[in-house]
């Protein structure tokens, strides 16, 4: 029996990835480090610090210091806030959330994001859907995706087992985290990566959009 659905946030509930990618790319370029936009879709779900370490290792052969990580992540977050007003919702997300809510199941948000402007506005954007207790952000975990820790914490907060849950994720590392937590995982491919990357990460089902998932979510929940 499925008792809960765990949702990733960026690229699932918010159409925010293009703005994150732009903010990362501009911030990292301002440090004189080269990267390309696809990098950030592949890194998606990691903590900011883990992303910065990968880019530092590429450029300098070392991890970033805690101070560097803090400064760079703050700069990236500030840039994101300048270009994203937190109102661009993913098409179809309201319908998916409503279907889960209507059937009496719990809704949990599990994000690697440390961007309070986005998770702080979930209630305004999706009124009556979320319970503040059932939110996992970058602040709650030490490892972050692709480690299963965020999803395991989400299960614990909701008081359910992996077998009673479904995850909805758009990013390869997020899918890996959910699968490593033992949860049936739906990939919604809202970005530019090929479906095969989501499949290889372990997604059991792949949909091209939240709107198409909305047409199928009730049946999936009933038949798991
Ligand atoms: Ca995501």
């Amino acid at each position: 029996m499925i008792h809960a659905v765990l949702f990733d946030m960026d690229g699932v509930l918010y159409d925010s990835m293009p703005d994150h990618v732009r903010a990362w790319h501009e911030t990292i370029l301002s440090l004189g480090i080269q990267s390309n936009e696809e990098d950030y879709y592949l890194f998606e779900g990691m903590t900011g610090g883990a992303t910065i370490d990968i880019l530092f290792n590429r450029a300098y052969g070392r991890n970033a210091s805690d101070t560097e990580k803090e400064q760079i992540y703050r700069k990236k977050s500030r840039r994101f806030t300048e270009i994203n007003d937190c109102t661009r919702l993913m098409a179809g997300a309201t319908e998916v959330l409503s279907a889960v809510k209507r059937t009496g199941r719990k809704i949990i948000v599990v994000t690697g994001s440390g961007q309070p402007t986005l998770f702080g506005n979930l209630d305004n954007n999706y009124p009556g859907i979320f319970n503040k207790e059932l939110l996992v952000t970058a602040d709650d975990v030490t490892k972050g995706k692709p480690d299963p820790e965020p999803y395991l914490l989400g299960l614990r907060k909701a008081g359910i087992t992996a077998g009673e849950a479904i995850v909805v994720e758009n990013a390869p590392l997020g899918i890996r985290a959910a699968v490593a937590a033992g949860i049936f995982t739906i990939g919604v491919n809202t970005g530019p990566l090929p479906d095969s990357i989501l499949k290889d990460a372990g997604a059991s089902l792949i949909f091209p959009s939240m709107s198409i998932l909305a047409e199928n979510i009730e049946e999936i929940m009933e038949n798991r």
Side-chain angles (χ1 to χ4, degrees):
M1 268 292 276
I2 296 302
H3 294 308
V5 181
L6 294 86
F7 290 88
D8 171 50
M9 184 177 74
D10 290 287
V12 169
L13 302 179
Y14 285 112
D15 186 8
S16 47
M17 276 312 294
D19 292 339
H20 279 296
V21 168
R22 187 175 153 200
W24 270 118
H25 192 252
E26 288 180 9
T27 301
I28 294 300
L29 195 63
S30 75
L31 304 171
I33 300 176
Q34 296 299 321
S35 63
N36 63 63
E37 296 202 340
E38 194 183 70
D39 287 338
Y40 300 104
Y41 286 100
L42 293 170
F43 300 156
E44 185 185 348
M46 280 184 185
T47 62
T51 297
I52 293 163
D53 271 343
I54 289 181
L55 294 162
F56 260 59
N57 273 289
R58 262 195 214 164
Y60 309 125
R62 67 167 177 90
N63 284 347
S65 70
D66 287 348
T67 310
E68 285 167 330
K69 282 178 196 165
E70 206 175 292
Q71 285 171 349
I72 295 166
Y73 191 70
R74 199 182 308 128
K75 190 170 180 185
K76 181 265 166 179
S77 294
R78 209 166 38 227
R79 183 67 188 127
F80 178 83
T81 306
E82 287 166 5
I83 57 184
N84 184 287
D85 67 358
C86 309
T87 59
R88 208 168 313 135
L89 308 186
M90 187 60 76
T94 296
E95 289 75 8
V96 175
L97 290 166
S98 301
V100 177
K101 187 89 181 171
R102 194 167 57 236
T103 57
R105 293 172 170 97
K106 288 182 180 172
I107 292 173
I108 302 133
V109 176
V110 179
T111 176
S113 174
Q115 188 80 43
T117 53
L118 288 183
F119 52 75
N121 271 297
L122 281 170
D123 261 344
N124 298 331
N125 287 313
Y126 296 102
I129 292 288
F130 300 107
N131 170 349
K132 263 200 283 297
E133 306 303 312
L134 300 183
L135 169 67
V136 177
T137 74
D139 300 333
D140 299 312
V141 296
T142 51
K143 292 189 189 118
K145 302 170 186 177
D147 193 276
E149 184 187 4
Y151 279 109
L152 292 173
L153 180 57
L155 292 176
R156 198 157 67 235
K157 284 191 172 193
I160 53 164
T161 64
E164 295 168 333
I166 287 175
V167 165
V168 180
E169 259 286 354
N170 72 307
L173 296 182
I175 291 168
R176 273 186 213 289
V179 171
I183 311 171
F184 182 86
T185 303
I186 299 172
V188 180
N189 195 359
T190 59
L193 301 175
D195 282 359
S196 60
I197 294 189
L198 305 193
K199 188 125 195 99
D200 291 347
S204 294
L205 296 171
I206 296 178
F207 292 93
S209 68
M210 287 292 275
S211 303
I212 306 289
L213 175 60
E215 295 167 11
N216 293 277
I217 186 71
E218 283 197 50
E219 197 189 329
I220 295 167
M221 292 189 297
E222 284 310 310
N223 294 323
R224 276 301 297 162

